Amino acid sequence: MAHVKVFDTTLRDGEQSPGVNLNKLEKLEIAKQLEKLGVDIMEAGFPASSQNEFESVQEIARTVKNSSVTGLARAKKSDIDTAWEALKDASEPRLHVFLATSPIHMTHKLKKTPDEVIETAVEMVEYARERFPQVEWSAEDACRSDKDFLVRIIEKVIEAGATVVNLPDTVGYTTPYEYGELFRYVKENVPNIDRVSLSCHCHDDLGMAVANSLAAIENGATQIEGTINGIGERAGNASIEEVAVALQIRNNFYEHSTNLVLNEIKRTSDLVSKFTGMVVPGNKAIVGKNAFAHESGIHQDGMMKNASTYEIITPEMVGIGASNMVLGKHSGRHAFEDKVKSLGYELSEEKLKEAFKAFKSLTDRKKDVTDEDLFTILTDVQTDSSDAAKYKLEAFQVQYSSANIPTATVAMTTPEYTRVETAGTGQGSVEAIYNTLEALIHEDIHLEDYRLSSVGEGRDALAEVHVRLTVNGTAASGRGAAQDVLEASANAFLNAVNRVILNQQLLNKQSAPV
Ligand SMILES: [Zn+2]
């Protein structure tokens, strides 16, 4: 069986999803989980885009050992230099450099002739190879490029030292048949193509990203790029878990395998969904809540007689429904620590203490603490930059009755560590809290989106709120969990505000890396 490498770009292309902004700790957690999932390569970000991004990529490059870490660069020496600074400590530093090859991009965006584009691509790949052992070159908008021009430029970049050539369907325009043909054409006509990995990268604008990726594999692609849950710009990227499970379930047809540890899929999907605030639709293949639910009587009957009557994938294969042993009021520190370990978390002594405290306070109000609750508590503790100066909720009270105007009183500490307090009103309880918080924060804040969901089932389930807002024109998303919906709402609001404030502190503190 032939092997396909998995190149995950959740942290770069996925992070470009509208409204998504992950902080450094969240990116690091996702990177560690991607390593566990077994991705061959992970694109940690675009180091030249900001100081924050640079630091995230650097941290990931220094932490992850079993996957190759890469960063994106435009065809510019300064981008490549910055990427090298961020990636040089990785176990296998890799650069991903791109240049557009379609007439529409070359004429209107680059304002270069095809020959000038070849010259720049070659020069940049040669420059990158002076440092990086692995260099991937992408022909941006490959699917709307002239095939013979692609053949010419690919041969040249391979001569220049590229080790991977990627043919992205940047705008999500191609069809499985056409994309397969493109790979076959390149394989047949580029004389030195066997010296490199040939990669596919699909977007889902027409809902064909996964099908297109599989067509590329059938026609010679040896690397597939995509994201967890298929997140990404516009309609998103090819969903890695769908491609990997399709290759596994239909290996009699595709005859290709990946290195992915399939039963880490669910956890990876949950983590990405939680941090990005992008909810996985119930009917989504592989990881949707209903992907393994059987509703019709005939199906249920068949399932009870033999699961394979209507189930082609078992939930266990992708890590769903593994142990869900609950903890409760009487569970001690030892049981808690065992559970934390079995859920795959590695927490420092200090974070463990903090998590245990949160767990205990939850057991005061909730009888059974499930894996889902712990997942929420632990990931929140793990990604909380508790040492940073930020807004912190101290106490609040809301008065609501259907006859009066809702009023909130809020006390909190500011990033300057002073305690402030005020009261305000709103049309509803949440608005009253948000208006009051806004009055205390003195920044220009607009709420764009608010979503409330429950973690797990039951009346005493934790509430989780995701918000999207702009702070002085900068978009930020935030999340907060608590047993009470109002407290979760307040936490989510401050979480988003703090992201912007912390970013600004960083920007003021440091200058450009190189
Ligand atoms: Zn893309």
Side-chain angles (χ1 to χ4, degrees), residues 423-471:
T425 60
Q427 295 301 316
S429 304
V430 173
E431 201 200 348
I433 295 174
Y434 284 6
N435 287 344
T436 312
L437 287 171
E438 210 182 320
L440 289 171
I441 289 169
H442 304 298
E443 312 277 358
D444 183 27
I445 302 173
H446 294 276
L447 183 68
E448 311 269 335
D449 192 21
Y450 171 95
R451 265 181 297 114
L452 172 67
S453 53
S454 74
V455 176
E457 296 160 359
R459 287 184 193 198
D460 60 356
L462 280 177
E464 188 163 52
V465 170
H466 279 99
V467 294
R468 223 170 61 217
L469 34 86
T470 59
V471 183

Side-chain angles (χ1 to χ4, degrees), residues 156-302:
K156 294 278 190 239
V157 295
I158 296 174
E159 269 170 23
T163 55
V164 184
V165 168
N166 179 33
L167 303 176
D169 180 22
T170 308
V171 293
Y173 177 76
T174 199
T175 67
Y177 181 81
E178 290 168 323
Y179 202 48
E181 282 293 288
L182 175 66
F183 277 76
R184 191 198 307 234
Y185 194 82
V186 165
K187 284 287 281 186
E188 280 170 2
N189 291 287
V190 177
N192 52 5
I193 196 72
D194 290 333
R195 280 165 46 187
V196 296
S197 290
L198 188 56
S199 182
C200 58
H201 177 118
C202 297
H203 280 269
D204 209 30
D205 297 68
L206 294 173
M208 293 195 278
V210 168
N212 288 339
S213 305
L214 291 167
I217 292 170
E218 282 180 82
N219 288 282
T222 53
Q223 173 174 302
I224 171 254
E225 304 191 2
T227 60
I228 300 300
N229 298 340
I231 65 169
E233 287 235 53
R234 307 184 312 276
N237 289 59
S239 146
I240 278 184
E241 67 277 9
E242 290 181 21
V243 175
V245 174
L247 290 177
Q248 169 72 25
I249 296 296
R250 298 307 314 277
N251 58 11
N252 59 338
F253 181 78
Y254 289 113
E255 299 182 324
H256 278 77
S257 64
T258 68
N259 277 339
L260 290 201
V261 181
L262 298 182
N263 63 15
E264 287 290 337
I265 284 179
K266 176 69 166 105
R267 187 191 158 91
T268 316
S269 164
D270 285 348
L271 203 65
V272 169
S273 167
K274 183 181 176 67
F275 288 161
T276 57
M278 294 186 73
V279 179
V280 174
N283 64 338
K284 158 104 170 50
I286 317 297
V287 290
K289 212 171 161 191
N290 300 340
F292 299 96
H294 298 270
E295 192 71 27
S296 110
I298 295 172
H299 287 209
Q300 286 174 350
D301 180 57

Side-chain angles (χ1 to χ4, degrees), residues 297-408:
I298 295 172
H299 287 209
Q300 286 174 350
D301 180 57
M303 284 290 294
M304 276 187 285
K305 288 174 177 146
N306 183 340
S308 59
T309 48
Y310 288 101
E311 196 168 77
I312 60 162
I313 313 162
T314 65
E316 293 76 28
M317 179 195 270
V318 295
I320 296 176
S323 118
N324 196 9
M325 213 185 66
V326 295
L327 295 182
K329 209 179 178 60
H330 303 293
S331 307
R333 173 86 189 240
H334 200 74
F336 178 76
E337 279 184 25
D338 278 353
K339 188 75 183 177
V340 170
K341 248 186 238 150
S342 80
L343 289 173
Y345 288 89
E346 289 157 31
L347 296 182
S348 66
E349 198 48 41
E350 196 187 328
K351 292 271 183 195
L352 200 60
K353 238 190 220 163
E354 212 182 305
F356 187 64
K357 214 173 117 196
F359 162 72
K360 273 296 175 194
S361 104
L362 184 61
T363 59
D364 286 343
R365 288 170 290 174
K366 192 171 189 294
K367 197 170 141 268
D368 294 331
V369 176
T370 63
D371 284 1
E372 281 168 313
D373 296 326
L374 288 172
F375 175 73
T376 302
I377 292 178
L378 293 169
T379 43
D380 281 354
V381 167
Q382 202 168 33
T383 56
D384 178 32
S385 44
S386 41
D387 47 335
K390 60 185 177 186
Y391 290 104
K392 211 171 147 222
L393 189 67
E394 295 296 337
F396 75 99
Q397 185 189 335
V398 179
Q399 276 174 315
Y400 176 84
S401 84
S402 53
N404 291 316
I405 296 171
T407 309

Side-chain angles (χ1 to χ4, degrees), residues 147-166:
K147 277 187 184 164
D148 291 316
F149 176 64
L150 275 180
V151 165
R152 256 176 75 206
I153 193 167
I154 291 171
E155 186 183 351
K156 294 278 190 239
V157 295
I158 296 174
E159 269 170 23
T163 55
V164 184
V165 168
N166 179 33

